[in-house]
Amino acid sequence: MHEVIYDGSFEGFFSVVFEVYNRKLKNVCIRKEAVETTSLFAEKITIHTDRIKAGRVLSRLEQIAGREGVKLFYVCYLSEKQ
């Protein structure tokens, strides 16, 4: 299992998506830095936000889901903000 940690930003999440796909990681748990870990045996990987990689993922998402799909995805992301 891989526990992928990111900064909690929207671009950071898309950077994680890029890296998970690029590294062909399986059995992944994505969590924000601020959230305590619960897995003792997972390999921890920290992904730093990369705007270029995030932009590539966002462009592909827009191709697949359209602008409305991207908006809905962003609303879902914002719903988790505290």
Side-chain angles (χ1 to χ4, degrees), residues 19-65:
E19 289 298 332
V20 167
Y21 179 80
N22 191 48
R23 297 180 189 194
K24 297 175 177 49
L25 299 177
K26 305 289 183 204
N27 198 13
V28 175
C29 174
I30 299 172
R31 76 168 177 86
K32 297 175 188 174
E33 288 174 325
V35 176
E36 289 296 318
T37 184
T38 57
S39 179
L40 295 174
F41 303 107
E43 178 184 349
K44 291 173 180 55
I45 302 169
T46 300
I47 302 295
H48 299 284
T49 299
D50 183 321
R51 291 177 184 224
I52 294 170
K53 292 176 182 175
R56 288 177 59 184
V57 173
L58 186 58
S59 291
R60 184 66 178 136
L61 179 62
E62 189 172 355
Q63 287 175 352
I64 293 168

